[in-house]
Amino acid sequence: MKTPEQLQEGWVKFSRVPCVEGCIDVWYGDCAHNPNSEIKPQWNLNSFVVFIRLDGKGEWISGYRGVKSFVMEMGEVSTSQKIWDEISKYNE
């Protein structure tokens, strides 16, 4: 399994998981924070949430616990778009 790259854009630190083609970014943080916001709130709720985005662009969408492991495993044999399509079925 390939090791995800650790990146930062503004205040958002996230993991970029490589796939056969493309990548999926995974952010894990306090539920008071949203990686789509330009400014990080100064308070925490001490409860955590996961957000993901496709190929390093666009809006972050809500994910679920365990999605990073799922993407790392599936990324070895599938494209980011196919994985994204499967994950999106659970966000409808």
Side-chain angles (χ1 to χ4, degrees), residues 3-88:
T3 303
E5 184 179 2
Q6 302 302 310
L7 300 170
Q8 183 169 352
E9 292 178 3
W11 66 270
V12 181
K13 295 179 184 179
F14 59 93
S15 299
R16 176 159 289 159
V17 181
C19 301
V20 168
E21 182 181 307
C23 64
I24 294 182
D25 296 337
V26 181
W27 177 82
Y28 177 80
D30 193 273
C31 66
H33 306 166
N34 183 330
N36 292 309
S37 300
E38 290 184 28
I39 299 171
K40 179 181 177 181
Q42 296 303 311
W43 43 279
N44 294 312
L45 298 176
N46 295 322
S47 184
F48 296 92
V49 67
V50 176
F51 279 82
I52 57 174
R53 73 176 174 182
L54 178 62
D55 294 329
K57 56 189 173 214
E59 288 220 5
W60 294 87
I61 66 165
S62 182
Y64 55 88
R65 284 187 191 260
V67 74
K68 184 175 176 181
S69 297
F70 174 75
V71 172
M72 287 175 62
E73 205 171 305
M74 295 305 297
E76 295 283 321
V77 296
S78 190
T79 67
S80 59
Q81 186 63 58
K82 287 182 182 177
I83 296 169
W84 185 263
D85 292 344
E86 285 303 310
I87 293 171
S88 295

